Amino acid sequence: MEINIEKELQSLKSDYNTFKAELDKQETLNERFFKSLKKRPALAVGKEIKDRMWLDVLTVFMVTIICINTGWPLLFGVLVSLWALVDLGVSLWVSRKLGMDHLLNDDVRTVTGKIAGYRKFYNVSLMASIIPLVAMLTYIFMHLYALTDDPDTIRFITVSGIVFIVLGIAITLVRYKKHVEKCNELLEQFDEC
């Protein structure tokens, strides 16, 4: 009888070890699955800041080409390029400070703090860019109006300007809405942890 009990104990121990190994394997799979779910919005937020930096670089390049080829004042190109370079520098600094490339490697509290910090940066930079944007648009319209005396051309410039400004505002609002959704989605995932 002692032999049977010992065999059963060994059998139970073997079953327990097999069950524990399967449970560990399942926990690892679940952890990978949940990390991949969290990674999508985190990648979107990281991609957003990288896209912003690339647009800043592209702005400097395009404004320089436009000023050289169309005869626009070089001062205008320098000021717009300076604005883009300041935005690029601040975006790079915020990205590194918040560690956006390694967002999911920290604990929940740190990650939510980083996301909230990035959302605050995005809102502040959006508001801060309104003044240079209004100044730039005013200068563009004043310069174009100074080039012509024809009422039809002035009307065309005005209508075109209004259409493109409305289009720019609509694109900015759509991008802002997507940004807020991605940040909120990521925060909700970490609130559930």
Side-chain angles (χ1 to χ4, degrees):
M1 185 144 192
E2 279 183 34
I3 297 174
N4 281 342
I5 292 176
E6 191 174 311
K7 283 184 180 180
E8 280 194 39
L9 281 175
Q10 287 178 353
S11 174
L12 284 173
K13 187 176 181 180
S14 173
D15 289 345
Y16 172 76
N17 288 335
T18 304
F19 175 72
K20 187 176 176 185
E22 288 294 320
L23 188 62
D24 289 342
K25 184 178 176 183
Q26 187 63 39
E27 283 178 6
T28 303
L29 287 173
N30 285 344
E31 193 174 301
R32 282 188 201 155
F33 173 72
F34 286 118
K35 192 167 187 172
S36 73
L37 281 179
K38 290 177 183 174
K39 202 171 201 171
R40 276 185 249 148
L43 288 174
V45 169
K47 183 182 180 309
E48 184 177 294
I49 199 163
K50 286 178 183 164
D51 289 348
R52 179 184 183 129
M53 288 187 271
W54 278 111
L55 283 173
D56 288 333
V57 171
L58 184 63
T59 298
V60 170
F61 180 69
M62 292 304 295
V63 165
T64 304
I65 289 175
I66 289 170
C67 285
I68 290 171
N69 291 326
T70 62
W72 275 76
L74 196 55
L75 179 62
F76 173 75
V78 169
L79 291 175
V80 172
S81 296
L82 185 62
W83 177 29
L85 289 173
V86 166
D87 187 66
L88 174 66
V90 170
S91 297
L92 188 60
W93 178 75
V94 166
S95 178
R96 286 191 176 161
K97 179 184 176 212
L98 296 178
M100 297 305 280
D101 292 335
H102 309 288
L103 188 63
L104 297 178
N105 295 344
D106 292 319
D107 60 278
V108 174
R109 184 176 177 193
T110 304
V111 171
T112 54
K114 286 180 179 183
I115 296 165
Y118 178 66
R119 191 168 47 185
K120 181 180 177 185
F121 159 72
Y122 190 89
N123 291 338
V124 168
S125 68
L126 195 61
M127 291 299 133
S129 67
I130 289 175
I131 294 171
L133 182 62
V134 168
M136 181 180 69
L137 290 173
T138 302
Y139 179 81
I140 290 171
F141 282 112
M142 298 294 284
H143 186 73
L144 291 174
Y145 289 146
L147 294 176
T148 186
D149 289 331
D150 182 35
D152 290 333
T153 306
I154 291 173
R155 207 171 306 121
F156 176 74
I157 292 170
T158 304
V159 170
S160 299
I162 291 170
V163 167
F164 282 109
I165 289 171
V166 168
L167 184 63
I169 290 171
I171 290 170
T172 301
L173 290 175
V174 167
R175 285 182 54 102
Y176 180 76
K177 183 180 176 191
K178 285 182 181 179
H179 161 77
V180 169
E181 286 173 358
K182 290 297 178 191
C183 286
N184 287 342
E185 182 181 340
L186 199 53
L187 285 171
E188 286 172 9
Q189 287 178 354
F190 280 97
D191 285 343
E192 293 170 1
C193 294

